[in-house]
């Protein structure tokens, strides 16, 4: 291995470890002088590792960083030789990690510069010293009691005084115990909690057995995510940024800065990077055509195929990212965001990087076109970032410009096919007609033409009828079936030849070089523990459970990690164990109204939040990383918990997709409305009830055998209607709404009013009030709309008041509550009297009408 390769590895891992001492320090009962954790040698070198200001050593957390590396010296020496590890040698791994606040060489200054970039500040003259010295409070260790705050609470907030929630000091898990707690910014029990999770962290570090640098670094990154996601990077200026996201960002920036300097022959002069220098590239990629690809299928087997198609797109995007990182020789920490068919990553701004990205763009476009024709397209582009933009916290502009570039690429897709004579796909492919006779064999699920000599498979439906499908369709069906029982995803560069391909299906999306296998816990035991031939140099990802480090897994140099995925479990038929069809999810027509709901939801204004959501002083790489990861935690991870904690959801709803900031779910219509409400409620908790963060959605309600593509399109229109919803005169609220029965309702007031009215109608009908009342309400609402449209006298008010008055008088004396309810809705409809009438464009009768329609359906169910 060359010196350059070793230096790059040292720089990257030093960045990943440079502030681990902040975690260790919080778990220590004492300060520097009395610490029983710090060795005498570390204490004696305090002035070597720490900068000294006014005669006082500062940034003492580096002492605990040094101690951590020495505690696990043998593990790091498996990765680096004695010579490259050495704690007393300039530019050694130890020195690079420990001396980032007091560097003596140009290479050591790279980690320091990366630290400044991650925090968004040039700290050469930074007045912020060690937290334990300057933290406000009466005790030197008060900073240990201060918890991390939520990234969401600070969005569009101007001062730290607004923070009221503290994040519990917990290892990462899909539990509500990890949610922010109001009034818990400071906690005397926090130091003990830090000690507890530190002990868990160090026990698991011992389990990492790999001597391969890549396997060790990626496994260690996953372990940091598990244990440092609730540890604040700083209680001063990065209190809403986790230590994990800061460490991850510094590692990524360190390798980018190194590669930039190396490409420009400036490794001996880090000062060559000035304010106008552009050392970084923000790389963005995005798949378009996702909706049509997933939902534009036919036949009764749609439910069987949809989940697999959705997950296939996730694997496709992941394999593109993995391939690009490999070509750029970068690491997992360089990924800022990857979800929902899109990604952003950091790369060095070198001519080599740009050429690699341009060549890879053509490779992606060609391979996708060959496999999926025009149904899918992957836009890829870059944006340079200068040091001045980083320090002025203007990196949000880079996101904006890159987003615009990607949008332009989508409008000019396949342009590269016509701009070069080297492309194997050109004019004739697009403009010369194919001969179609009508006799072609077609895929029975996607309706695609099956070309001559194309690999095909036959599948059997529940009735035993055989249907021919393309091999890719069969793969997606098998993938969808596998997901329910999948505990681990195995990623390999090459296929594993001695695994049974009939049972152990592997997928290599568009041949980008990553083979994916899907196995459960028993498979893992059989394949890794009992096989004579161990499986080496693979990546083993545990789904939805961060307890991924199993010391019993055999095989050499395997990368271990975890990942959240929304919806790998789903309802099945109890007898056949097949996934329930959409018709079955819609319910049983013998027991009531049988209708399928199709739900779509996503976070409001997320693009603008990335660009303008943070105050200028808060636009840092580590903060954007924290924001992306916390969105993914909710949509990819915690959504599974909402689903699994409710028996109705588990039996009658099916999460087809959830990740990034949006979701798509199908299921029994009324249960799906409950699910949407639960998601909105939990999202508000997760985002600390920040009024600037909303989630909008819409539901289409259709018969069970209705074409899913059309239902998905209807749900998309409903979602867009919710996102265009505003309060009266465009004031009071915007978005944060839910479209129910073609009517957008603001979650915080209009929806609550409609829901309460619906519940009251269901309570009194038909026991106290005749069911005909529901039709009368709808009739008066239609009359009202017609009279207002024509500018006529609103006689509906008098007629409704008279009709409801008579209905109330006809009720027997024992129905006191029902009479009061009728009187109330009579009065409110006539006077348009309801609590939020000043905010809403709706009159009371409009909301009552939606409630009546909803109640009618629910009573029938």
């Amino acid at each position: 291995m060359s010196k350059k390769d070793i230096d790059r590895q040292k720089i990257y891992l030093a960045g990943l470890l440079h502030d681990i001492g902040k975690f260790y320090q919080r778990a220590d009962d004492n300060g520097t002088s009395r610490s029983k954790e710090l060795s005498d040698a570390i204490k004696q070198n305090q002035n070597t590792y720490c900068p000294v200001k006014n005669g006082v050593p500062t940034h003492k957390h580096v002492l605990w960083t040094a101690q951590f590396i020495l505690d696990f010296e043998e593990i790091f020496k498996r990765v680096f030789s004695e010579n490259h590890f050495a704690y007393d040698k300039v530019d050694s791994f130890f020195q690079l990690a420990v001396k980032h606040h007091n560097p003596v060489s140009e290479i050591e200054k790279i980690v320091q510069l990366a630290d400044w970039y991650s925090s968004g500040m040039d700290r050469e003259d930074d007045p912020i010293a060690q937290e334990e010295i300057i933290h406000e409070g009466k005790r030197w260790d008060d900073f240990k009691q201060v918890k991390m705050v939520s990234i969401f609470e600070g969005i569009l907030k101007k001062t730290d005084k607004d923070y009221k929630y503290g994040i519990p000091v917990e290892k990462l898990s899909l539990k509500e115990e990890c949610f922010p707690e109001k009034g818990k910014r400071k906690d005397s029990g926090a130091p003990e909690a830090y000690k507890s999770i530190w002990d868990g962290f160090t026990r698991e570090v011992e389990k990492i057995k790999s001597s391969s640098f890549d396997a060790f670094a990626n496994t260690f990154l996953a372990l940091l995510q598990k244990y440092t996601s609730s540890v604040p990077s700083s209680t001063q200026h990065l209190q809403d940024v986790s230590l994990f996201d800061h460490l991850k960002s510094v590692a990524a920036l360190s390798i980018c800065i190194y590669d930039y300097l190396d490409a420009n022959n400036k490794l001996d002069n880090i000062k060559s990077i000035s304010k106008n220098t552009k050392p970084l590239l923000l790389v963005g990629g995005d798949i378009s055509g996702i909706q049509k690809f997933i939902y534009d299928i036919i036949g009764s087997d749609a439910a069987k195929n949809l989940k697999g198609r959705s997950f296939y797109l996730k694997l496709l995007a992941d394999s593109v990212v993995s391939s690009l990182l490999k070509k750029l020789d970068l690491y997992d920490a360089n990924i800022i965001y990857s979800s929902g068919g899109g990604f952003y990553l950091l790369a060095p701004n070198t001519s080599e990087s740009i050429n690699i990205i341009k060549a890879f763009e053509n490779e992606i476009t060609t391979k996708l076109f060959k496999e999926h024709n025009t149904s899918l397209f992957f836009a890829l582009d870059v944006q340079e970032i200068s040091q001045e933009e980083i320090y002025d916290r203007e990196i949000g502009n880079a996101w904006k410009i890159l987003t615009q570039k990607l949008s332009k690429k989508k409008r000019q897709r396949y342009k590269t096919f016509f701009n070069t004579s080297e492309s194997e796909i050109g004019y004739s492919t697009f403009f010369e007609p194919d001969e179609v006779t009508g006799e072609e064999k077609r895929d029975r699920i996607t309706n695609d033409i099956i070309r001559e000599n194309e690999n095909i498979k036959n599948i059997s439906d529940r009735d035993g009828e055989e249907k021919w499908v393309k091999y890719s369709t069969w793969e997606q069906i098998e993938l969808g079936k596998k997901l329910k029982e999948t505990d681990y995803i195995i990623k390999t560069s090459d296929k594993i030849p001695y695994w049974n391909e009939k049972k152990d299906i592997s997928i290599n999306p568009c041949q980008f070089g990553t083979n994916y296998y899907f196995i459960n816990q028993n498979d893992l035991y059989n394949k890794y523990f009992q096989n004579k031939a161990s499986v080496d140099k693979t990546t083993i990802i545990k789904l939805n459970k961060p307890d991924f480090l199993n010391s019993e897994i055999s095989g050499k140099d395997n990368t271990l990690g975890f990942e959240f995925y929304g919806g790998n479990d789903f309802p099945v038929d109890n007898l056949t164990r097949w996934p329930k069809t959409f018709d079955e999810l819609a319910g049983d027509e013998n027991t009531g109204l049988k209708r399928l709901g199709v739900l779509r939801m996503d976070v409001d204004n997320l693009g603008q939040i990335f660009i303008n959501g943070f105050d200028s002083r808060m636009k840092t790489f580590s903060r954007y990383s924290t924001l992306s990861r916390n969105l993914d935690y909710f949509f990819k991870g915690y959504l599974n918990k909402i689903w699994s904690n409710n028996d109705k959801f588990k039996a009658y709803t099916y999460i087809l997709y959830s990740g990034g900031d949006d979701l798509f779910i199908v299921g029994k219509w009324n249960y799906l409305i409950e699910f949407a409400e639960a998601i909105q409620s939990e999202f508000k908790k997760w985002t600390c009830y920040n009024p600037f963060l909303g989630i909008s959605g819409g539901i289409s309600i259709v018969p069970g055998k209705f074409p899913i593509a059309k239902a998905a399109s209807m749900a998309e229109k409903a979602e867009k209607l919710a996102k265009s919803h505003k309060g009266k005169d465009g004031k009071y609220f915007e978005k944060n709404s839910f479209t129910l029965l073609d009517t957008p309702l603001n979650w915080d007031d209009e929806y609550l009013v409609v829901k309460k009215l619906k519940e009251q109608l269901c309570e009194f009908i038909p026991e106290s009030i005749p069911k005909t009342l529901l039709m009368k309400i709808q009739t008066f609402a239609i009359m009202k709309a017609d009279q207002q449209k024509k500018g006529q006298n609103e006689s509906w008010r008098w007629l409704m008041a008279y009709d409801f008055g008579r209905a109330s008088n006809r009720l027997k004396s024992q129905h006191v509550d029902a009479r009061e309810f009728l009187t109330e809705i009579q009065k409110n409809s006539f006077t348009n009297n309801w609590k939020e009438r000043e905010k809403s464009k709706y009159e009371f009768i409009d909301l009552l009408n939606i409630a009546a329609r909803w109640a009618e359906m629910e009573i029938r169910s």
Side-chain angles (χ1 to χ4, degrees):
M1 185 179 291
S2 69
K3 180 181 183 301
K4 175 184 173 181
D5 291 335
I6 294 172
D7 283 348
R8 291 180 84 252
Q9 291 180 352
K10 290 190 298 186
I11 283 284
Y12 176 78
L13 195 56
L16 201 58
L17 278 166
H18 78 289
D19 270 354
I20 194 67
K22 289 185 175 182
F23 187 13
Y24 199 171
Q25 184 186 29
R26 282 172 166 80
D28 195 336
D29 293 331
N30 297 292
T32 308
S33 60
R34 296 185 178 182
S35 172
K36 296 178 182 178
E37 305 295 338
L38 297 178
S39 68
D40 291 339
I42 295 293
K43 293 177 183 179
Q44 290 166 7
N45 279 283
Q46 182 174 186
N47 289 357
T48 302
Y49 303 145
C50 301
V52 178
K53 294 185 183 296
N54 301 321
V56 179
T58 65
H59 301 81
K60 293 184 182 180
H61 61 270
V62 299
L63 302 178
W64 279 268
T65 294
Q67 189 63 55
F68 173 78
I69 295 174
L70 290 182
D71 288 347
F72 294 97
E73 182 174 354
E74 295 306 314
I75 290 178
F76 292 114
K77 283 182 178 177
R78 285 205 304 264
V79 180
F80 299 113
S81 67
E82 173 75 36
N83 186 44
H84 295 297
F85 171 85
Y87 60 84
D88 57 352
K89 185 177 180 180
V90 174
D91 295 345
S92 68
F93 162 66
F94 180 89
Q95 295 274 17
L96 288 172
V98 173
K99 298 192 67 177
H100 60 282
H101 287 302
N102 198 28
V104 296
S105 73
E106 295 302 291
I107 300 296
E108 288 174 3
K109 290 176 183 177
I110 289 177
V111 180
Q112 181 185 58
L113 185 59
D115 187 27
W116 293 352
Y117 280 7
S118 176
S119 305
M121 63 174 66
D122 181 344
R123 292 192 286 189
E124 284 197 86
D125 299 316
D126 177 24
I128 296 177
Q130 171 63 343
E131 288 177 307
E132 66 179 66
I133 294 176
I134 68 166
H135 197 279
E136 294 180 4
K138 297 179 180 179
R139 291 173 50 86
W140 68 269
D141 61 349
D142 269 6
F143 76 96
K144 296 184 180 182
Q145 300 181 21
V146 178
K147 293 182 177 180
M148 182 179 163
V149 299
S150 170
I151 190 74
F152 299 115
E153 190 179 5
I155 288 176
L156 299 177
K157 301 289 183 69
K158 301 298 182 183
T159 67
D160 294 347
K161 294 179 181 178
D162 288 328
Y163 290 112
K164 297 180 176 64
Y165 290 79
I167 294 178
V169 180
E170 293 267 358
K171 65 181 179 182
L172 191 64
S173 68
L174 295 180
K175 299 188 300 184
E176 192 172 351
E177 286 82 352
C178 291
F179 274 43
E181 299 174 306
K182 191 172 184 179
K184 293 292 185 71
R185 280 285 287 112
K186 191 172 181 181
D187 185 357
S188 61
E192 191 60 36
Y194 282 124
K195 182 173 177 56
S196 176
I197 62 171
W198 174 261
D199 290 342
F201 171 67
T202 54
R203 284 194 299 271
E204 294 212 55
V205 172
E206 293 277 7
K207 295 181 180 180
I208 305 178
K209 303 300 183 183
S210 177
S211 58
S212 157
F213 177 81
D214 287 356
F216 176 85
N218 289 331
T219 302
F220 192 77
L221 181 68
L223 197 61
L224 284 173
Q225 181 179 358
K226 178 178 178 178
Y227 282 99
T228 63
S229 293
S230 65
V231 179
S233 177
S234 166
T235 56
Q236 294 300 309
H237 62 286
L238 292 172
Q239 58 188 334
D240 59 340
V241 173
S242 76
L243 182 58
F244 167 71
D245 291 291
H246 178 62
L247 295 174
K248 174 175 174 284
S249 297
V250 172
L253 290 162
S254 294
I255 202 71
C256 289
I257 294 169
Y258 179 93
D259 285 351
Y260 174 82
L261 290 169
D262 179 63
N264 290 280
N265 297 311
K266 298 288 188 180
L267 280 172
D268 59 346
N269 183 19
I270 197 168
K271 290 283 189 181
S272 64
I273 301 179
S274 61
K275 72 174 186 177
N276 294 320
T277 306
K278 298 178 178 179
L280 304 177
L281 288 177
L282 182 64
V283 185
D286 192 30
I287 299 178
S288 57
I290 289 177
Q291 309 304 327
K292 181 176 175 59
F293 177 81
I294 295 179
Y295 310 124
D296 195 10
I297 57 180
I298 62 173
S300 60
D301 292 308
K304 187 187 303 180
N305 185 238
L306 272 177
K307 189 62 185 180
R309 288 172 80 81
S310 173
F311 194 71
Y312 168 82
L313 287 177
K314 176 223 172 333
L315 298 180
L316 174 62
D318 285 355
S319 61
V320 167
V321 173
S322 295
S323 182
L324 184 55
L325 286 177
K326 187 174 182 180
K327 290 175 184 293
L328 293 169
D329 199 12
L330 297 176
Y331 299 95
D332 286 354
N334 288 81
I335 303 170
I336 300 174
Y337 170 90
S338 181
S339 194
F343 69 85
Y344 293 97
L345 57 86
L346 280 174
N349 186 10
T350 66
S351 58
E352 182 181 8
S353 293
I354 292 171
N355 290 335
I356 288 172
I357 292 167
K358 285 182 177 178
F360 188 58
E361 179 185 14
N362 186 60
E363 180 185 344
I364 294 173
T365 307
T366 302
K367 286 184 175 180
L368 270 180
F369 185 83
K370 283 184 173 181
E371 183 69 28
H372 300 294
N373 209 285
T374 58
S375 59
L376 291 175
F377 176 77
F378 211 123
L380 184 67
D381 217 319
V382 301
Q383 176 60 28
E384 297 177 322
I385 300 178
S386 70
Q387 180 168 281
E388 183 177 28
E389 287 176 304
I390 297 169
Y391 288 154
D392 290 347
R393 276 79 155 203
E394 293 180 354
I395 57 176
N397 292 335
W399 257 274
K400 180 179 180 180
I401 295 169
L402 183 54
T403 300
Q404 292 170 345
K405 286 182 176 181
L406 292 173
S407 295
K408 184 177 180 180
K409 284 280 178 74
K410 291 177 182 180
R411 294 193 300 270
Q412 299 177 348
R413 59 180 66 187
Y414 311 121
K415 179 180 177 181
T416 55
F417 290 164
F418 305 102
N419 288 350
T420 174
S421 59
E422 297 178 1
S423 175
E424 55 188 294
I425 301 170
Y427 179 90
S428 61
T429 305
F430 287 91
F431 299 106
E432 292 183 2
D434 284 338
E435 183 179 350
V436 179
T437 66
E439 300 298 323
E440 290 81 10
K441 184 180 290 186
R442 289 183 178 269
D443 187 301
R444 290 292 300 273
I445 290 182
T446 67
N447 205 37
D448 293 337
I449 292 176
I450 299 176
R451 304 294 181 184
E452 189 176 352
N453 299 323
E454 186 169 6
N455 194 358
I456 58 176
K457 300 281 286 188
N458 68 8
I459 60 172
S460 300
D461 62 18
R462 299 177 183 212
D463 298 324
E465 180 186 350
E466 290 192 345
K467 299 178 180 181
W468 290 102
V469 296
K470 298 172 69 171
Y471 185 80
S472 59
T473 301
W474 174 81
E475 274 190 327
Q476 291 156 15
I477 292 173
E478 292 300 306
L479 174 57
K481 286 159 56 178
K482 274 277 188 182
L483 273 176
K484 185 174 178 63
E485 59 185 38
T486 294
D487 296 314
Y488 294 89
I489 296 177
I490 311 297
K491 298 167 62 174
T492 67
S493 297
D494 301 308
K495 284 191 175 184
I496 303 171
Y498 44 87
W499 281 12
N500 183 346
E501 280 297 316
K502 291 184 179 179
K503 182 176 184 295
D504 305 308
I505 179 176
S506 68
I507 293 180
N508 182 353
C510 290
Q511 304 304 306
F512 278 116
T514 303
N515 293 279
Y516 296 87
Y517 291 85
F518 312 91
I519 63 178
N520 59 34
Q521 185 69 45
N522 292 332
D523 290 332
L524 190 75
Y525 180 83
N526 295 332
K527 296 178 187 306
Y528 279 82
F529 304 167
Q530 294 184 337
N531 247 325
K532 293 181 180 179
S534 65
V535 184
D536 302 331
K537 297 182 180 180
T538 63
T539 297
I540 306 170
I541 303 296
K542 191 166 188 179
L543 275 187
N544 293 325
K545 292 181 180 178
D547 57 331
F548 64 95
L549 264 177
N550 189 331
S551 60
E552 296 178 340
I553 293 179
S554 62
K556 184 179 179 182
D557 294 335
N558 290 316
T559 296
L560 306 180
F562 70 96
E563 183 177 338
F564 295 133
Y565 176 70
N568 67 307
D569 199 359
F570 45 83
V572 297
D573 183 281
N574 290 331
L575 294 176
T576 65
R577 307 308 296 170
W578 282 82
K580 284 186 178 179
T581 66
F582 294 146
D583 192 44
E584 289 171 328
L585 290 177
D588 186 349
E589 59 189 8
N590 295 322
T591 59
L593 180 67
K594 181 177 180 177
R595 289 291 184 271
L596 181 73
V598 178
L599 172 69
R600 297 183 63 156
M601 301 177 77
D602 75 2
V603 176
D604 296 324
N605 305 314
L606 186 61
Q608 287 302 310
I609 287 171
F610 267 87
I611 296 168
N612 301 313
F614 296 115
D615 182 77
S616 59
R617 67 191 175 89
M618 299 175 71
K619 294 179 180 178
T620 66
F621 286 112
S622 55
R623 194 164 271 111
Y624 282 113
S625 177
T626 301
L627 173 63
S628 301
R629 183 179 53 77
N630 277 277
L631 284 169
D632 250 12
Y633 170 87
F634 184 85
F635 285 96
K636 281 187 175 180
Y638 191 71
L639 193 76
N640 293 302
K641 207 70 176 175
I642 301 173
W643 182 84
S644 63
N645 284 342
N646 187 299
D647 289 339
K648 292 183 293 186
F649 300 165
K650 287 171 66 177
Y652 284 99
T653 67
Y654 191 168
I655 302 172
L656 285 173
Y657 170 77
S658 180
D661 73 317
D662 63 342
L663 55 85
F664 183 98
I665 308 174
V666 298
K668 197 169 188 294
W669 73 275
N670 49 341
Y671 297 161
L672 206 54
I673 294 173
E674 288 184 42
F675 201 173
E677 188 179 330
I679 292 167
Q680 190 266 347
S681 176
E682 293 298 303
F683 186 71
K684 284 176 66 175
K685 290 180 189 176
W686 181 237
T687 56
C688 304
Y689 299 90
N690 187 327
F692 300 106
L693 280 167
I695 182 169
S696 294
I699 185 172
S700 61
I701 301 174
V702 297
K705 295 183 179 180
F706 194 84
I708 191 64
K710 179 64 176 175
S713 176
M714 292 163 62
E716 181 180 23
K717 290 178 181 177
E719 181 186 36
K720 289 179 178 178
L721 194 59
K723 287 189 169 294
S724 64
H725 188 43
K726 295 182 180 181
K728 185 179 282 187
D729 301 324
K731 303 178 187 176
Y732 304 111
F733 63 79
E734 184 176 1
K735 304 183 180 182
N736 190 37
S737 300
F738 180 62
T739 299
L740 175 64
L741 298 173
D742 303 319
T743 306
L745 303 167
N746 179 261
W747 280 114
D748 296 329
D749 40 64
E750 295 165 342
Y751 177 82
L752 296 179
V753 171
V754 169
K755 181 184 177 184
K756 182 178 180 180
L757 288 170
K758 182 269 299 183
E759 289 172 345
Q760 289 174 311
L761 288 167
C762 289
E763 177 186 355
F764 297 123
I765 296 173
E767 299 299 325
S768 305
I769 301 174
K771 192 175 178 181
T772 53
L773 178 78
L774 298 176
M775 186 55 67
K776 288 182 178 181
I777 291 172
Q778 295 175 56
T779 299
F780 285 123
I782 293 171
M783 187 183 299
K784 171 255 183 186
D786 186 59
Q787 290 177 348
Q788 286 186 345
K789 182 178 179 180
K790 295 177 179 178
Q792 297 175 343
N793 180 42
E794 295 185 333
S795 60
W796 70 270
R797 296 185 189 273
W798 305 100
L799 292 171
M800 184 175 181
Y802 174 75
D803 200 340
F804 277 42
R806 289 188 62 192
S808 177
N809 292 332
R810 283 198 296 267
L811 291 180
K812 296 180 180 180
S813 58
Q814 65 264 34
H815 299 306
V816 176
D817 291 342
R819 293 180 67 174
E820 289 180 353
F821 171 67
L822 275 178
T823 300
E824 181 182 7
I825 62 174
Q826 174 199 42
K827 179 185 68 175
N828 291 346
S829 297
F830 186 83
T831 62
N832 190 31
N833 177 41
W834 62 287
K835 184 179 179 182
E836 303 293 347
R837 65 185 181 279
E838 298 302 325
K839 295 182 179 180
S840 175
K841 63 184 179 182
Y842 298 127
E843 293 191 29
F844 181 82
I845 182 63
D846 299 319
L847 301 181
L848 181 62
N849 179 41
I850 302 302
R853 293 171 61 194
W854 186 0
E856 181 182 25
M857 294 178 67
E858 192 154 294
I859 290 169
R860 290 174 58 193
S861 295

